[in-house]
PDB file of all heavy atoms in Angstrom:
ATOM      1  N   LEU A 168      69.419 177.099 -83.763  1.00 85.00           N
ATOM      2  CA  LEU A 168      69.611 178.509 -83.466  1.00 85.00           C
ATOM      3  C   LEU A 168      69.359 178.798 -81.994  1.00 85.00           C
ATOM      4  O   LEU A 168      68.566 178.109 -81.342  1.00 85.00           O
ATOM      5  CB  LEU A 168      68.690 179.340 -84.343  1.00 85.00           C
ATOM      6  CG  LEU A 168      68.947 180.844 -84.442  1.00 85.00           C
ATOM      7  CD1 LEU A 168      70.295 181.119 -85.094  1.00 85.00           C
ATOM      8  CD2 LEU A 168      67.825 181.506 -85.232  1.00 85.00           C
ATOM      9  N   ASN A 169      70.015 179.846 -81.477  1.00 72.00           N
ATOM     10  CA  ASN A 169      69.901 180.170 -80.057  1.00 72.00           C
ATOM     11  C   ASN A 169      68.526 180.677 -79.649  1.00 72.00           C
ATOM     12  O   ASN A 169      68.174 180.644 -78.476  1.00 72.00           O
ATOM     13  CB  ASN A 169      70.972 181.192 -79.660  1.00 72.00           C
ATOM     14  CG  ASN A 169      70.851 182.501 -80.427  1.00 72.00           C
ATOM     15  OD1 ASN A 169      70.233 182.572 -81.478  1.00 72.00           O
ATOM     16  ND2 ASN A 169      71.465 183.545 -79.877  1.00 72.00           N
ATOM     17  N   VAL A 170      67.752 181.180 -80.590  1.00 64.00           N
ATOM     18  CA  VAL A 170      66.427 181.692 -80.298  1.00 64.00           C
ATOM     19  C   VAL A 170      65.481 181.294 -81.422  1.00 64.00           C
ATOM     20  O   VAL A 170      65.890 181.191 -82.588  1.00 64.00           O
ATOM     21  CB  VAL A 170      66.443 183.223 -80.113  1.00 64.00           C
ATOM     22  CG1 VAL A 170      66.867 183.916 -81.407  1.00 64.00           C
ATOM     23  CG2 VAL A 170      65.087 183.742 -79.650  1.00 64.00           C
ATOM     24  N   GLY A 171      64.232 181.054 -81.086  1.00 62.00           N
ATOM     25  CA  GLY A 171      63.260 180.657 -82.077  1.00 62.00           C
ATOM     26  C   GLY A 171      63.361 179.190 -82.415  1.00 62.00           C
ATOM     27  O   GLY A 171      63.939 178.390 -81.679  1.00 62.00           O
ATOM     28  N   ASN A 172      62.815 178.824 -83.554  1.00 70.00           N
ATOM     29  CA  ASN A 172      62.752 177.436 -83.980  1.00 70.00           C
ATOM     30  C   ASN A 172      63.669 177.121 -85.151  1.00 70.00           C
ATOM     31  O   ASN A 172      63.484 176.107 -85.825  1.00 70.00           O
ATOM     32  CB  ASN A 172      61.315 177.075 -84.350  1.00 70.00           C
ATOM     33  CG  ASN A 172      60.363 177.221 -83.190  1.00 70.00           C
ATOM     34  OD1 ASN A 172      60.682 176.827 -82.068  1.00 70.00           O
ATOM     35  ND2 ASN A 172      59.191 177.776 -83.454  1.00 70.00           N
ATOM     36  N   GLY A 173      64.644 177.966 -85.398  1.00 86.00           N
ATOM     37  CA  GLY A 173      65.503 177.782 -86.540  1.00 86.00           C
ATOM     38  C   GLY A 173      66.442 176.594 -86.404  1.00 86.00           C
ATOM     39  O   GLY A 173      67.164 176.464 -85.418  1.00 86.00           O
ATOM     40  N   VAL A 174      66.426 175.725 -87.390  1.00 92.00           N
ATOM     41  CA  VAL A 174      67.333 174.590 -87.450  1.00 92.00           C
ATOM     42  C   VAL A 174      67.838 174.454 -88.872  1.00 92.00           C
ATOM     43  O   VAL A 174      67.207 174.926 -89.826  1.00 92.00           O
ATOM     44  CB  VAL A 174      66.677 173.271 -87.003  1.00 92.00           C
ATOM     45  CG1 VAL A 174      66.264 173.332 -85.539  1.00 92.00           C
ATOM     46  CG2 VAL A 174      65.462 172.961 -87.880  1.00 92.00           C
ATOM     47  N   THR A 175      68.972 173.817 -89.029  1.00 94.00           N
ATOM     48  CA  THR A 175      69.506 173.579 -90.349  1.00 94.00           C
ATOM     49  C   THR A 175      70.230 172.240 -90.356  1.00 94.00           C
ATOM     50  O   THR A 175      70.724 171.781 -89.321  1.00 94.00           O
ATOM     51  CB  THR A 175      70.451 174.716 -90.781  1.00 94.00           C
ATOM     52  OG1 THR A 175      70.787 174.565 -92.164  1.00 94.00           O
ATOM     53  CG2 THR A 175      71.723 174.723 -89.949  1.00 94.00           C
ATOM     54  N   TYR A 176      70.281 171.610 -91.530  1.00 96.00           N
ATOM     55  CA  TYR A 176      70.886 170.303 -91.678  1.00 96.00           C
ATOM     56  C   TYR A 176      71.792 170.256 -92.891  1.00 96.00           C
ATOM     57  O   TYR A 176      71.549 170.935 -93.891  1.00 96.00           O
ATOM     58  CB  TYR A 176      69.811 169.222 -91.846  1.00 96.00           C
ATOM     59  CG  TYR A 176      68.873 169.095 -90.680  1.00 96.00           C
ATOM     60  CD1 TYR A 176      67.675 169.803 -90.651  1.00 96.00           C
ATOM     61  CD2 TYR A 176      69.176 168.262 -89.607  1.00 96.00           C
ATOM     62  CE1 TYR A 176      66.810 169.690 -89.582  1.00 96.00           C
ATOM     63  CE2 TYR A 176      68.317 168.143 -88.531  1.00 96.00           C
ATOM     64  CZ  TYR A 176      67.131 168.860 -88.524  1.00 96.00           C
ATOM     65  OH  TYR A 176      66.271 168.745 -87.463  1.00 96.00           O
ATOM     66  N   ALA A 177      72.805 169.432 -92.786  1.00 97.00           N
ATOM     67  CA  ALA A 177      73.610 169.146 -93.956  1.00 97.00           C
ATOM     68  C   ALA A 177      72.764 168.396 -94.974  1.00 97.00           C
ATOM     69  O   ALA A 177      71.879 167.615 -94.603  1.00 97.00           O
ATOM     70  CB  ALA A 177      74.829 168.305 -93.573  1.00 97.00           C
ATOM     71  N   ASP A 178      73.029 168.625 -96.259  1.00 97.00           N
ATOM     72  CA  ASP A 178      72.235 167.984 -97.300  1.00 97.00           C
ATOM     73  C   ASP A 178      72.250 166.460 -97.180  1.00 97.00           C
ATOM     74  O   ASP A 178      71.256 165.800 -97.478  1.00 97.00           O
ATOM     75  CB  ASP A 178      72.758 168.386 -98.681  1.00 97.00           C
ATOM     76  CG  ASP A 178      72.451 169.828 -99.027  1.00 97.00           C
ATOM     77  OD1 ASP A 178      71.553 170.417 -98.397  1.00 97.00           O
ATOM     78  OD2 ASP A 178      73.107 170.366 -99.935  1.00 97.00           O
ATOM     79  N   SER A 179      73.343 165.909 -96.725  1.00 97.00           N
ATOM     80  CA  SER A 179      73.491 164.465 -96.658  1.00 97.00           C
ATOM     81  C   SER A 179      72.595 163.797 -95.616  1.00 97.00           C
ATOM     82  O   SER A 179      72.397 162.581 -95.667  1.00 97.00           O
ATOM     83  CB  SER A 179      74.952 164.096 -96.371  1.00 97.00           C
ATOM     84  OG  SER A 179      75.386 164.640 -95.145  1.00 97.00           O
ATOM     85  N   VAL A 180      72.043 164.576 -94.678  1.00 98.00           N
ATOM     86  CA  VAL A 180      71.223 163.985 -93.623  1.00 98.00           C
ATOM     87  C   VAL A 180      69.796 164.504 -93.612  1.00 98.00           C
ATOM     88  O   VAL A 180      68.992 164.058 -92.779  1.00 98.00           O
ATOM     89  CB  VAL A 180      71.850 164.201 -92.230  1.00 98.00           C
ATOM     90  CG1 VAL A 180      73.289 163.704 -92.206  1.00 98.00           C
ATOM     91  CG2 VAL A 180      71.787 165.674 -91.827  1.00 98.00           C
ATOM     92  N   LYS A 181      69.449 165.409 -94.498  1.00 97.00           N
ATOM     93  CA  LYS A 181      68.099 165.955 -94.535  1.00 97.00           C
ATOM     94  C   LYS A 181      67.069 164.850 -94.738  1.00 97.00           C
ATOM     95  O   LYS A 181      67.227 163.984 -95.583  1.00 97.00           O
ATOM     96  CB  LYS A 181      67.974 166.995 -95.648  1.00 97.00           C
ATOM     97  CG  LYS A 181      68.674 168.302 -95.351  1.00 97.00           C
ATOM     98  CD  LYS A 181      68.488 169.304 -96.483  1.00 97.00           C
ATOM     99  CE  LYS A 181      69.162 170.624 -96.158  1.00 97.00           C
ATOM    100  NZ  LYS A 181      69.033 171.595 -97.264  1.00 97.00           N
ATOM    101  N   GLY A 182      66.021 164.907 -93.928  1.00 97.00           N
ATOM    102  CA  GLY A 182      64.976 163.907 -94.004  1.00 97.00           C
ATOM    103  C   GLY A 182      65.238 162.677 -93.170  1.00 97.00           C
ATOM    104  O   GLY A 182      64.339 161.845 -92.995  1.00 97.00           O
ATOM    105  N   ARG A 183      66.457 162.544 -92.641  1.00 98.00           N
ATOM    106  CA  ARG A 183      66.813 161.368 -91.840  1.00 98.00           C
ATOM    107  C   ARG A 183      67.166 161.718 -90.393  1.00 98.00           C
ATOM    108  O   ARG A 183      66.906 160.925 -89.491  1.00 98.00           O
ATOM    109  CB  ARG A 183      67.983 160.623 -92.472  1.00 98.00           C
ATOM    110  CG  ARG A 183      67.701 160.114 -93.878  1.00 98.00           C
ATOM    111  CD  ARG A 183      68.816 159.206 -94.383  1.00 98.00           C
ATOM    112  NE  ARG A 183      70.089 159.917 -94.501  1.00 98.00           N
ATOM    113  CZ  ARG A 183      71.192 159.609 -93.822  1.00 98.00           C
ATOM    114  NH1 ARG A 183      71.180 158.594 -92.966  1.00 98.00           N
ATOM    115  NH2 ARG A 183      72.303 160.306 -94.000  1.00 98.00           N
ATOM    116  N   PHE A 184      67.767 162.879 -90.186  1.00 98.00           N
ATOM    117  CA  PHE A 184      68.200 163.298 -88.848  1.00 98.00           C
ATOM    118  C   PHE A 184      67.328 164.440 -88.338  1.00 98.00           C
ATOM    119  O   PHE A 184      66.864 165.277 -89.124  1.00 98.00           O
ATOM    120  CB  PHE A 184      69.647 163.790 -88.872  1.00 98.00           C
ATOM    121  CG  PHE A 184      70.678 162.718 -89.106  1.00 98.00           C
ATOM    122  CD1 PHE A 184      70.331 161.439 -89.503  1.00 98.00           C
ATOM    123  CD2 PHE A 184      72.020 163.015 -88.920  1.00 98.00           C
ATOM    124  CE1 PHE A 184      71.288 160.462 -89.720  1.00 98.00           C
ATOM    125  CE2 PHE A 184      72.992 162.050 -89.130  1.00 98.00           C
ATOM    126  CZ  PHE A 184      72.628 160.773 -89.531  1.00 98.00           C
ATOM    127  N   THR A 185      67.145 164.500 -87.024  1.00 97.00           N
ATOM    128  CA  THR A 185      66.392 165.571 -86.397  1.00 97.00           C
ATOM    129  C   THR A 185      67.127 166.055 -85.158  1.00 97.00           C
ATOM    130  O   THR A 185      67.433 165.260 -84.269  1.00 97.00           O
ATOM    131  CB  THR A 185      64.979 165.125 -85.997  1.00 97.00           C
ATOM    132  OG1 THR A 185      64.276 164.654 -87.153  1.00 97.00           O
ATOM    133  CG2 THR A 185      64.201 166.291 -85.391  1.00 97.00           C
ATOM    134  N   ILE A 186      67.403 167.354 -85.105  1.00 95.00           N
ATOM    135  CA  ILE A 186      68.044 167.935 -83.940  1.00 95.00           C
ATOM    136  C   ILE A 186      66.978 168.573 -83.047  1.00 95.00           C
ATOM    137  O   ILE A 186      66.024 169.167 -83.540  1.00 95.00           O
ATOM    138  CB  ILE A 186      69.109 168.981 -84.340  1.00 95.00           C
ATOM    139  CG1 ILE A 186      69.886 169.468 -83.115  1.00 95.00           C
ATOM    140  CG2 ILE A 186      68.473 170.153 -85.078  1.00 95.00           C
ATOM    141  CD1 ILE A 186      71.087 170.349 -83.462  1.00 95.00           C
ATOM    142  N   SER A 187      67.133 168.432 -81.752  1.00 93.00           N
ATOM    143  CA  SER A 187      66.215 169.046 -80.804  1.00 93.00           C
ATOM    144  C   SER A 187      66.969 169.394 -79.531  1.00 93.00           C
ATOM    145  O   SER A 187      68.067 168.891 -79.291  1.00 93.00           O
ATOM    146  CB  SER A 187      65.027 168.130 -80.504  1.00 93.00           C
ATOM    147  OG  SER A 187      65.462 166.911 -79.921  1.00 93.00           O
ATOM    148  N   ARG A 188      66.381 170.261 -78.729  1.00 88.00           N
ATOM    149  CA  ARG A 188      67.047 170.680 -77.495  1.00 88.00           C
ATOM    150  C   ARG A 188      66.052 170.821 -76.366  1.00 88.00           C
ATOM    151  O   ARG A 188      64.893 171.185 -76.570  1.00 88.00           O
ATOM    152  CB  ARG A 188      67.797 171.996 -77.713  1.00 88.00           C
ATOM    153  CG  ARG A 188      66.914 173.173 -78.112  1.00 88.00           C
ATOM    154  CD  ARG A 188      67.729 174.309 -78.721  1.00 88.00           C
ATOM    155  NE  ARG A 188      68.630 174.927 -77.754  1.00 88.00           N
ATOM    156  CZ  ARG A 188      69.603 175.779 -78.075  1.00 88.00           C
ATOM    157  NH1 ARG A 188      69.811 176.098 -79.354  1.00 88.00           N
ATOM    158  NH2 ARG A 188      70.372 176.301 -77.125  1.00 88.00           N
ATOM    159  N   ASP A 189      66.525 170.538 -75.168  1.00 88.00           N
ATOM    160  CA  ASP A 189      65.763 170.700 -73.948  1.00 88.00           C
ATOM    161  C   ASP A 189      66.546 171.676 -73.081  1.00 88.00           C
ATOM    162  O   ASP A 189      67.429 171.278 -72.324  1.00 88.00           O
ATOM    163  CB  ASP A 189      65.573 169.365 -73.245  1.00 88.00           C
ATOM    164  CG  ASP A 189      64.703 169.472 -72.009  1.00 88.00           C
ATOM    165  OD1 ASP A 189      64.406 170.594 -71.570  1.00 88.00           O
ATOM    166  OD2 ASP A 189      64.312 168.414 -71.478  1.00 88.00           O
ATOM    167  N   ASN A 190      66.235 172.952 -73.221  1.00 82.00           N
ATOM    168  CA  ASN A 190      66.991 173.976 -72.512  1.00 82.00           C
ATOM    169  C   ASN A 190      66.873 173.857 -70.995  1.00 82.00           C
ATOM    170  O   ASN A 190      67.827 174.143 -70.270  1.00 82.00           O
ATOM    171  CB  ASN A 190      66.539 175.368 -72.954  1.00 82.00           C
ATOM    172  CG  ASN A 190      66.966 175.705 -74.364  1.00 82.00           C
ATOM    173  OD1 ASN A 190      67.894 175.116 -74.910  1.00 82.00           O
ATOM    174  ND2 ASN A 190      66.283 176.671 -74.971  1.00 82.00           N
ATOM    175  N   ALA A 191      65.708 173.450 -70.507  1.00 84.00           N
ATOM    176  CA  ALA A 191      65.489 173.333 -69.074  1.00 84.00           C
ATOM    177  C   ALA A 191      66.424 172.311 -68.446  1.00 84.00           C
ATOM    178  O   ALA A 191      66.817 172.444 -67.287  1.00 84.00           O
ATOM    179  CB  ALA A 191      64.038 172.979 -68.783  1.00 84.00           C
ATOM    180  N   ASN A 192      66.782 171.286 -69.202  1.00 89.00           N
ATOM    181  CA  ASN A 192      67.653 170.230 -68.694  1.00 89.00           C
ATOM    182  C   ASN A 192      69.046 170.243 -69.313  1.00 89.00           C
ATOM    183  O   ASN A 192      69.802 169.282 -69.156  1.00 89.00           O
ATOM    184  CB  ASN A 192      66.997 168.868 -68.915  1.00 89.00           C
ATOM    185  CG  ASN A 192      65.764 168.682 -68.065  1.00 89.00           C
ATOM    186  OD1 ASN A 192      65.851 168.615 -66.848  1.00 89.00           O
ATOM    187  ND2 ASN A 192      64.604 168.609 -68.710  1.00 89.00           N
ATOM    188  N   ASN A 193      69.374 171.310 -70.007  1.00 89.00           N
ATOM    189  CA  ASN A 193      70.704 171.480 -70.601  1.00 89.00           C
ATOM    190  C   ASN A 193      71.108 170.284 -71.460  1.00 89.00           C
ATOM    191  O   ASN A 193      72.212 169.744 -71.331  1.00 89.00           O
ATOM    192  CB  ASN A 193      71.751 171.713 -69.509  1.00 89.00           C
ATOM    193  CG  ASN A 193      71.605 173.059 -68.840  1.00 89.00           C
ATOM    194  OD1 ASN A 193      70.769 173.875 -69.211  1.00 89.00           O
ATOM    195  ND2 ASN A 193      72.439 173.309 -67.837  1.00 89.00           N
ATOM    196  N   THR A 194      70.210 169.889 -72.344  1.00 92.00           N
ATOM    197  CA  THR A 194      70.439 168.690 -73.129  1.00 92.00           C
ATOM    198  C   THR A 194      70.119 168.923 -74.603  1.00 92.00           C
ATOM    199  O   THR A 194      69.113 169.550 -74.940  1.00 92.00           O
ATOM    200  CB  THR A 194      69.587 167.526 -72.613  1.00 92.00           C
ATOM    201  OG1 THR A 194      69.817 167.363 -71.209  1.00 92.00           O
ATOM    202  CG2 THR A 194      69.946 166.237 -73.327  1.00 92.00           C
ATOM    203  N   LEU A 195      70.972 168.413 -75.465  1.00 94.00           N
ATOM    204  CA  LEU A 195      70.790 168.467 -76.906  1.00 94.00           C
ATOM    205  C   LEU A 195      70.684 167.043 -77.436  1.00 94.00           C
ATOM    206  O   LEU A 195      71.388 166.152 -76.963  1.00 94.00           O
ATOM    207  CB  LEU A 195      71.971 169.177 -77.565  1.00 94.00           C
ATOM    208  CG  LEU A 195      71.917 169.345 -79.086  1.00 94.00           C
ATOM    209  CD1 LEU A 195      70.929 170.445 -79.460  1.00 94.00           C
ATOM    210  CD2 LEU A 195      73.306 169.663 -79.635  1.00 94.00           C
ATOM    211  N   TYR A 196      69.827 166.842 -78.429  1.00 96.00           N
ATOM    212  CA  TYR A 196      69.612 165.517 -78.990  1.00 96.00           C
ATOM    213  C   TYR A 196      69.826 165.514 -80.498  1.00 96.00           C
ATOM    214  O   TYR A 196      69.666 166.529 -81.172  1.00 96.00           O
ATOM    215  CB  TYR A 196      68.182 165.034 -78.719  1.00 96.00           C
ATOM    216  CG  TYR A 196      67.813 164.971 -77.267  1.00 96.00           C
ATOM    217  CD1 TYR A 196      67.195 166.047 -76.642  1.00 96.00           C
ATOM    218  CD2 TYR A 196      68.064 163.832 -76.514  1.00 96.00           C
ATOM    219  CE1 TYR A 196      66.841 165.988 -75.306  1.00 96.00           C
ATOM    220  CE2 TYR A 196      67.713 163.764 -75.177  1.00 96.00           C
ATOM    221  CZ  TYR A 196      67.105 164.838 -74.579  1.00 96.00           C
ATOM    222  OH  TYR A 196      66.758 164.776 -73.250  1.00 96.00           O
ATOM    223  N   LEU A 197      70.163 164.352 -81.005  1.00 98.00           N
ATOM    224  CA  LEU A 197      70.186 164.122 -82.441  1.00 98.00           C
ATOM    225  C   LEU A 197      69.560 162.766 -82.707  1.00 98.00           C
ATOM    226  O   LEU A 197      70.137 161.735 -82.368  1.00 98.00           O
ATOM    227  CB  LEU A 197      71.608 164.171 -83.005  1.00 98.00           C
ATOM    228  CG  LEU A 197      71.699 164.018 -84.525  1.00 98.00           C
ATOM    229  CD1 LEU A 197      71.077 165.236 -85.217  1.00 98.00           C
ATOM    230  CD2 LEU A 197      73.145 163.838 -84.977  1.00 98.00           C
ATOM    231  N   GLU A 198      68.370 162.780 -83.289  1.00 98.00           N
ATOM    232  CA  GLU A 198      67.690 161.556 -83.677  1.00 98.00           C
ATOM    233  C   GLU A 198      68.125 161.200 -85.087  1.00 98.00           C
ATOM    234  O   GLU A 198      67.953 161.995 -86.007  1.00 98.00           O
ATOM    235  CB  GLU A 198      66.175 161.740 -83.612  1.00 98.00           C
ATOM    236  CG  GLU A 198      65.373 160.498 -83.929  1.00 98.00           C
ATOM    237  CD  GLU A 198      65.433 159.463 -82.829  1.00 98.00           C
ATOM    238  OE1 GLU A 198      65.571 159.852 -81.651  1.00 98.00           O
ATOM    239  OE2 GLU A 198      65.339 158.261 -83.137  1.00 98.00           O
ATOM    240  N   MET A 199      68.690 160.019 -85.252  1.00 98.00           N
ATOM    241  CA  MET A 199      69.210 159.583 -86.534  1.00 98.00           C
ATOM    242  C   MET A 199      68.451 158.353 -86.990  1.00 98.00           C
ATOM    243  O   MET A 199      68.438 157.334 -86.298  1.00 98.00           O
ATOM    244  CB  MET A 199      70.709 159.280 -86.437  1.00 98.00           C
ATOM    245  CG  MET A 199      71.529 160.443 -85.899  1.00 98.00           C
ATOM    246  SD  MET A 199      73.310 160.115 -85.945  1.00 98.00           S
ATOM    247  CE  MET A 199      73.409 158.767 -84.766  1.00 98.00           C
ATOM    248  N   ASN A 200      67.830 158.452 -88.158  1.00 98.00           N
ATOM    249  CA  ASN A 200      67.065 157.349 -88.723  1.00 98.00           C
ATOM    250  C   ASN A 200      67.621 156.950 -90.078  1.00 98.00           C
ATOM    251  O   ASN A 200      68.293 157.734 -90.745  1.00 98.00           O
ATOM    252  CB  ASN A 200      65.593 157.744 -88.861  1.00 98.00           C
ATOM    253  CG  ASN A 200      64.935 158.062 -87.542  1.00 98.00           C
ATOM    254  OD1 ASN A 200      65.000 157.271 -86.600  1.00 98.00           O
ATOM    255  ND2 ASN A 200      64.293 159.220 -87.456  1.00 98.00           N
ATOM    256  N   ASN A 201      67.301 155.732 -90.480  1.00 98.00           N
ATOM    257  CA  ASN A 201      67.757 155.211 -91.770  1.00 98.00           C
ATOM    258  C   ASN A 201      69.256 155.441 -91.958  1.00 98.00           C
ATOM    259  O   ASN A 201      69.702 155.979 -92.971  1.00 98.00           O
ATOM    260  CB  ASN A 201      66.965 155.855 -92.909  1.00 98.00           C
ATOM    261  CG  ASN A 201      67.193 155.175 -94.240  1.00 98.00           C
ATOM    262  OD1 ASN A 201      67.561 154.001 -94.305  1.00 98.00           O
ATOM    263  ND2 ASN A 201      66.977 155.915 -95.326  1.00 98.00           N
ATOM    264  N   LEU A 202      70.012 155.017 -90.991  1.00 98.00           N
ATOM    265  CA  LEU A 202      71.455 155.237 -91.020  1.00 98.00           C
ATOM    266  C   LEU A 202      72.112 154.512 -92.181  1.00 98.00           C
ATOM    267  O   LEU A 202      71.706 153.409 -92.558  1.00 98.00           O
ATOM    268  CB  LEU A 202      72.075 154.794 -89.705  1.00 98.00           C
ATOM    269  CG  LEU A 202      71.837 155.754 -88.541  1.00 98.00           C
ATOM    270  CD1 LEU A 202      72.092 155.063 -87.214  1.00 98.00           C
ATOM    271  CD2 LEU A 202      72.730 156.986 -88.695  1.00 98.00           C
ATOM    272  N   LYS A 203      73.136 155.148 -92.726  1.00 98.00           N
ATOM    273  CA  LYS A 203      73.884 154.621 -93.846  1.00 98.00           C
ATOM    274  C   LYS A 203      75.348 154.457 -93.453  1.00 98.00           C
ATOM    275  O   LYS A 203      75.826 155.143 -92.549  1.00 98.00           O
ATOM    276  CB  LYS A 203      73.777 155.560 -95.047  1.00 98.00           C
ATOM    277  CG  LYS A 203      72.354 155.836 -95.500  1.00 98.00           C
ATOM    278  CD  LYS A 203      72.323 156.841 -96.638  1.00 98.00           C
ATOM    279  CE  LYS A 203      70.902 157.102 -97.097  1.00 98.00           C
ATOM    280  NZ  LYS A 203      70.867 158.084 -98.215  1.00 98.00           N
ATOM    281  N   PRO A 204      76.081 153.569 -94.133  1.00 98.00           N
ATOM    282  CA  PRO A 204      77.499 153.400 -93.809  1.00 98.00           C
ATOM    283  C   PRO A 204      78.281 154.709 -93.847  1.00 98.00           C
ATOM    284  O   PRO A 204      79.206 154.895 -93.052  1.00 98.00           O
ATOM    285  CB  PRO A 204      77.984 152.424 -94.885  1.00 98.00           C
ATOM    286  CG  PRO A 204      76.778 151.601 -95.190  1.00 98.00           C
ATOM    287  CD  PRO A 204      75.630 152.582 -95.130  1.00 98.00           C
ATOM    288  N   GLN A 205      77.932 155.611 -94.746  1.00 97.00           N
ATOM    289  CA  GLN A 205      78.631 156.883 -94.839  1.00 97.00           C
ATOM    290  C   GLN A 205      78.350 157.818 -93.666  1.00 97.00           C
ATOM    291  O   GLN A 205      78.964 158.883 -93.558  1.00 97.00           O
ATOM    292  CB  GLN A 205      78.314 157.590 -96.170  1.00 97.00           C
ATOM    293  CG  GLN A 205      76.835 157.715 -96.483  1.00 97.00           C
ATOM    294  CD  GLN A 205      76.349 156.610 -97.385  1.00 97.00           C
ATOM    295  OE1 GLN A 205      76.584 155.431 -97.126  1.00 97.00           O
ATOM    296  NE2 GLN A 205      75.657 156.976 -98.460  1.00 97.00           N
ATOM    297  N   ASP A 206      77.418 157.446 -92.787  1.00 98.00           N
ATOM    298  CA  ASP A 206      77.180 158.201 -91.564  1.00 98.00           C
ATOM    299  C   ASP A 206      78.177 157.850 -90.472  1.00 98.00           C
ATOM    300  O   ASP A 206      78.194 158.490 -89.419  1.00 98.00           O
ATOM    301  CB  ASP A 206      75.764 157.955 -91.037  1.00 98.00           C
ATOM    302  CG  ASP A 206      74.694 158.502 -91.958  1.00 98.00           C
ATOM    303  OD1 ASP A 206      74.866 159.612 -92.491  1.00 98.00           O
ATOM    304  OD2 ASP A 206      73.663 157.810 -92.135  1.00 98.00           O
ATOM    305  N   THR A 207      78.989 156.857 -90.702  1.00 98.00           N
ATOM    306  CA  THR A 207      79.982 156.427 -89.725  1.00 98.00           C
ATOM    307  C   THR A 207      80.955 157.551 -89.397  1.00 98.00           C
ATOM    308  O   THR A 207      81.434 158.260 -90.281  1.00 98.00           O
ATOM    309  CB  THR A 207      80.753 155.214 -90.252  1.00 98.00           C
ATOM    310  OG1 THR A 207      79.871 154.091 -90.343  1.00 98.00           O
ATOM    311  CG2 THR A 207      81.903 154.847 -89.325  1.00 98.00           C
TER     312      THR A 207
END
């Protein structure tokens, strides 16, 4: 979300992926763990 700490995930990646942002450096991240073939 543009303000606050609101985030949301697709059901297929909940518990495995984490989205984060660094506004000061204009950067968005996606940490992906326990990857599965269907994540391709």
